[in-house]
Structure formats: C-alpha cells, structure tokens
Amino acid sequence: GAGADDGIAADYHPHGAHSGNVAQNENMGVTSLSWSASRFEPAALVIGFSSGRVAIHRYDDARRSWVEAVRLPGHERGVLDVAWAPNVGRSYHWIASCGKDGLLMVHRV
C-alpha cells in the first residue's frame, strides 16, 4: 500500500483532469505509464520509474488522490516502457515492462 512518502500526489479537478507530482522520490521521475482500459474496475494506471520501480496506482475517491496499490517486480535499472494489455474476459490483467537492464517482464496481476 501507499504511505505518506509513496512518491505520488495528485489534485482532483472537477472537469476530469488530474495532475500531480508522481515521482518526487525517484531519481529522474516517471519514464512511462499505461492506463487500464477496464470499465468495471476503479481507474488505474501502471507507472514505470527511472529507478526501475514498476507500480500500479489507483484513484481513491475518498482521498481524492492517486495511491500506490501494487508494487510489481522492478528492473535493476530504469524502466523504458510499460503496457497494460486489454482485458477481454480474463479475471486477471497482463502488464508488460521493459527496462535498461535488457529484460522484458510480463506481470500477471
């Protein structure tokens, strides 16, 4: 779960836009992100960071902010890209990440 120093803070805007500093604790910040296209779950995105961290963030309506929900196995070096596969009838999600360490990881969440 996310704590006070989880590296993400966002402001709610009534017109649907959200902004914030999601990488205040990272070396160079966010390197990639991908939105979940699921219509049946809360808003979520996967973020790759320059530190190699890969994490899923969900929007918390009660807090009116984004919180880290799941930290996935990361990369030894920075993340180059992340992608959230379309969910077509599966009870789980596929998320891919690739990093400067030369690895492509496919995460089942």
Side-chain angles (χ1 to χ4, degrees), residues 11-42:
D11 298 321
Y12 175 76
H13 298 278
H15 300 293
H18 306 280
S19 64
N21 180 2
V22 298
Q24 64 191 13
N25 295 333
E26 300 295 328
N27 297 333
M28 296 291 290
V30 171
T31 57
S32 56
L33 64 87
S34 179
W35 287 92
S36 168
S38 176
R39 290 181 264 158
F40 306 107
E41 296 182 29

Side-chain angles (χ1 to χ4, degrees), residues 69-82:
V70 178
R71 184 161 306 183
L72 300 172
H75 293 270
E76 293 293 320
R77 297 171 55 203
V79 176
L80 295 171
D81 201 7
V82 292

Side-chain angles (χ1 to χ4, degrees), residues 45-87:
L45 54 100
V46 60
I47 302 175
F49 296 89
S50 62
S51 66
R53 181 166 64 115
V54 178
I56 297 172
H57 289 78
R58 294 198 186 275
Y59 188 75
D60 183 328
D61 287 322
R63 292 184 187 174
R64 297 179 74 170
S65 67
W66 290 91
V67 296
E68 184 175 303
V70 178
R71 184 161 306 183
L72 300 172
H75 293 270
E76 293 293 320
R77 297 171 55 203
V79 176
L80 295 171
D81 201 7
V82 292
W84 201 305
N87 186 345

